[in-house]
Amino acid sequence: MPSSQELRVLFITPEVFPLCKTGGLGDVSAALPIALRSLQIDVRLLLPGYPQVLAGVKYKSKVAEFNELPQFPPATLLSARLSLSKSEHIPVFVIDCPGLYHREGGPYMDALGRDWPDNALRFGLLSKIGAILSSDASPIAWQPHIAHCNDWQSGLTPAYLHYHAGKKAATVMTIHNLAFQGIFPPGSVVQLGLPPDSFDINGVEYYGNLSFLKAGLYHTDHITTVSPNYAEEIQTESLGFGLQGLLAGRRQHITGILNGISTSEWDPATDPHLAKNYTNKKLSDKAVNKSTLQQQMGLAVDADIPLFGIVSRLNHQKGTDLLIQVAPQITKIPAQLVILGSDHAELEHQLTALTQTYPHEIAVRIGFSEALSHLIEAGADCFLMPSRFEPCGLNQMYSQRYGTPPIVHATGGLLDTVVDCTPITLANGSASGFVFYPMTAENLLNTIKRAATAYHHKKNWQRLQKNCMAKDFSWHTSAAAYREIYLSLLP
Ligand code: ADP
Ligand code: GLC
């Protein structure tokens, strides 16, 4: 049995910061492997070769060809290095398959927001090569003990491995969001080279279709999800997305491990995207970021008005509709709103319309901007995250580290990471934001008003900010928890 120093893990993921990121999975796919590598675990990523991945990795060399996988176009496996900073590097394997990955647009959708029609093949190939590299059929010498799959895009890896008769790695499947399952018509089963009898309730079938995620959850050795609270919630009807039965049946094999954050990427003392860096010793410097943000977004520049920030996908999960409902009343508190995000076209449109009615109080930027997301974390007074459900959520942790207390709905990882501000929690030093429940527009608005009132009590507010900034959201503990799971799966 290898010790943790000899442990080899193939981390299979469809996105990684900074090369390709649509949400938290991109951040986690960079920060967790770095943390595991600092525990001496030999983690390597397996990624699809989108143009930005091929352009962004260094020292590429060809290590294998996959020309004879009957279901897939020819592909080349490259070994390369992803550098995150001068001292942080991750070895990566990149699948260079021009027929599936060389195209303009996002990893899952084209520029008009339509799913790529060949997503089953695109992520079938990621899963398939993940399985081959994790078995004795691998053409390369480096063989992992563990195949660590992330979300539906690598969900078929455990299924392919199940049907492989030879030696193979153990598998861990991490659920970052159960709402996305990778569902394709039944004919995809044979197209992707899975045996016809795998299409069964005890297999890859999900309500008459193929589900990549279900396939992974059914066949994997261990399941993790990204917060302890979400690990319980997904076993219930309200948040199980039809998989609650399977998950409850496997509860002995499910572990909720809270995500950490990259404390080097998200550090107000050194963040290059800020107008002024600051620490908890000199919070007055944070104000420069507020005035810069107000100016940059065309809002009235006013140090006293509470400013609420949002960086989010704009959709039903994130509660954008409720926010739109209460936005006019927020301006009357008085308070300001800055929103950065994109996703659902109708919600984007409604938000933009609000800025025409309230040009000095509400500012919206539709799109994706890493730089502005950092400035909002620093320049806002409070961060808003009224998610209906949230497997973990990273922004509420970034905002606490930036002394910007979050307002959150009591769900998933939000509940695991934010402590509601009351006289008692403020006195005992645990208060770190504002929590509301249940999820109604009225509760959201009242909690925003509660935060705005608290904001005007400067001494208490500073205490709250310092509590937030003192919390440890590093990957340290969570990376060790993953290591324990890996070690428990070895023969
Ligand atoms: P999710 O993965 O469900 O979208 P998380 O809170 O886990 O939610 O992670 C979201 C990540 O994506 C954060 O790093 C956040 O800053 C980033 N993000 C989301 N939308 C945008 C945007 N429009 N511009 C820049 N970063 C964004
Ligand atoms: C998903 C979830 C989010 C989580 C992220 C990283 O996108 O929606 O809550 O933080 O994955 O695990």
Side-chain angles (χ1 to χ4, degrees), residues 427-487:
N428 70 22
S430 62
S432 68
F434 301 87
V435 183
F436 68 93
Y437 184 87
M439 177 79 179
T440 62
E442 195 188 350
N443 281 340
L444 170 60
L445 181 63
N446 286 339
T447 309
I448 292 173
K449 286 183 179 164
R450 179 155 70 92
T453 306
Y455 170 76
H456 292 296
H457 292 93
K458 290 293 167 210
K459 243 174 130 179
N460 282 349
W461 189 257
Q462 274 209 6
R463 245 165 111 176
L464 178 61
Q465 288 181 298
K466 288 189 176 177
N467 287 351
C468 288
M469 295 176 88
K471 285 173 80 166
D472 177 8
F473 290 115
S474 72
W475 270 103
H476 196 71
T477 312
S478 298
Y482 278 104
R483 176 179 57 188
E484 287 316 303
I485 288 171
Y486 297 155
L487 290 172

Side-chain angles (χ1 to χ4, degrees), residues 107-183:
Y108 318 122
M109 291 184 285
D110 66 15
L112 297 175
R114 295 170 304 201
D115 281 348
W116 294 115
D118 53 355
N119 271 345
L121 268 188
R122 299 172 78 240
F123 298 105
L125 183 66
L126 176 67
S127 297
K128 179 74 183 178
I129 293 186
I132 295 173
L133 298 183
S134 305
S135 76
D136 57 6
S138 175
I140 64 172
W142 185 88
Q143 297 211 347
H145 301 98
I146 305 286
H148 186 156
C149 308
N150 292 277
D151 273 354
W152 71 265
Q153 294 88 343
S154 48
L156 290 191
T157 295
Y160 284 126
L161 282 173
H162 173 76
Y163 292 103
H164 176 78
K167 240 182 111 202
K168 53 196 155 190
T171 53
V172 173
M173 175 94 230
T174 297
I175 304 169
H176 295 266
N177 194 337
L178 203 56
F180 302 107
Q181 299 192 1
I183 303 216

Side-chain angles (χ1 to χ4, degrees), residues 176 211 228 235 245 320 332 360 415 420 438 466:
H176 295 266
S211 162
Q235 298 176 42
T320 313
K332 296 198 179 77
H360 304 297
L415 196 56
D420 189 41
K466 288 189 176 177

Side-chain angles (χ1 to χ4, degrees), residues 373-406:
S373 73
H374 286 242
L375 184 63
I376 291 176
E377 291 289 7
D381 295 305
C382 247
F383 195 86
L384 275 176
M385 237 169 136
S387 308
R388 283 199 167 76
F389 66 94
E390 194 61 78
C392 179
L394 299 176
N395 280 110
Q396 83 283 7
M397 295 192 270
Y398 299 150
S399 73
Q400 288 174 71
R401 187 157 161 78
Y402 280 58
T404 306

